Amino acid sequence: FQYLKRFGQGCNLDTFCYEALSVEGSPAECLQLFLLHCGIVDPSWAELRNFTWFLNIQLRDCEASVFCNPDFVQDTLNGF
């Protein structure tokens, strides 16, 4: 949710890291963002769960990758 919210606001996501245990927005706002970005017109709960699970794993791996660390890559992969 934190990434999707900032993406919608046009924030630079290259320097953002997920803040564990922090609460942002309401459950309704969270569901609305998931419905907007999942890519399915009328998703089931299982499809929403799969979307959030996949997105979470991808973002977690991205944060753990040295190649996505702005301090390491400097400006050589800007926007990657």
Side-chain angles (χ1 to χ4, degrees), residues 1-3 5-6 16-30:
F1 173 77
Q2 292 176 10
Y3 272 96
K5 182 178 177 183
R6 283 163 179 76
F16 176 74
C17 283
Y18 167 70
E19 300 170 28
L21 303 177
S22 68
V23 178
E24 295 183 17
S26 67
E29 184 182 8
C30 181

Side-chain angles (χ1 to χ4, degrees), residues 9 14 22 27 36 38 53 67 69 76:
Q9 295 170 344
D14 291 342
S22 68
L36 180 67
C38 79
W53 175 78
F67 297 107
N69 183 337
T76 58

Side-chain angles (χ1 to χ4, degrees), residues 7 12 15 30 32 40 58 62 64-65 73 79:
F7 176 75
N12 180 3
T15 56
C30 181
Q32 184 179 27
I40 300 173
Q58 295 300 308
C62 181
S65 172
V73 296

Side-chain angles (χ1 to χ4, degrees), residues 38-56:
C38 79
I40 300 173
V41 175
D42 187 18
S44 67
W45 285 111
E47 290 167 328
L48 279 177
R49 185 226 174 258
N50 289 338
F51 167 72
T52 57
W53 175 78
F54 178 77
L55 183 62
N56 186 52

